[in-house]
Amino acid sequence: AKYEEEEVAERLRARKDRSATGREHGWDVFSLQYDIQGPLATVLTPAAMAQYLRIFQLLWRLKRVEVSLAAVWTSLQCEVQRTLRRLPKDVAGAS
């Protein structure tokens, strides 16, 4: 938001929602809220914004899963390379 127009930045809010089950914490309770004004407010009703929030939270969780999987994949690839270097050449070349 630091490169956006001042008006846009003023309407954007980061929120920390209350945990529904008590088990969520950190990024699970994070969301962004944009204060809508003018004609757009007639289309994006509070009910529509509630649905948008649910979609945002799902996409946010999926992004976190993607980052975690990428980190695990990288770690596993490094471990495979280290393991292959330790094997005798005749065993490593056979696979």
Side-chain angles (χ1 to χ4, degrees):
K2 81 178 193 181
Y3 299 109
E4 296 294 332
E5 294 180 22
E6 188 175 325
E7 177 185 357
V8 172
E10 287 175 0
R11 292 183 185 187
L12 187 63
R13 305 274 184 266
R15 290 181 19 180
K16 180 183 173 203
D17 299 323
R18 292 186 187 163
S19 172
T21 63
R23 295 182 308 186
E24 295 97 358
H25 61 281
W27 293 109
D28 293 329
V29 294
F30 171 80
S31 66
L32 293 175
Q33 179 179 359
Y34 186 76
D35 297 326
I36 300 172
Q37 298 174 353
L40 196 56
T42 44
V43 177
L44 297 175
T45 63
M49 292 306 292
Q51 286 181 326
Y52 175 80
L53 177 61
R54 291 184 65 208
I55 292 168
F56 173 84
Q57 289 171 335
L58 172 66
L59 292 174
W60 187 254
R61 286 183 179 138
L62 288 174
K63 184 63 177 177
R64 289 180 41 231
V65 168
E66 177 192 15
V67 169
S68 295
L69 287 174
V72 168
W73 180 257
T74 301
S75 173
L76 286 174
Q77 291 297 328
C78 292
E79 194 60 39
V80 165
Q81 292 301 320
R82 269 187 247 141
T83 302
L84 287 176
R85 281 193 295 262
R86 284 188 230 138
L87 290 175
K89 289 194 181 210
D90 57 334
V91 174
S95 51

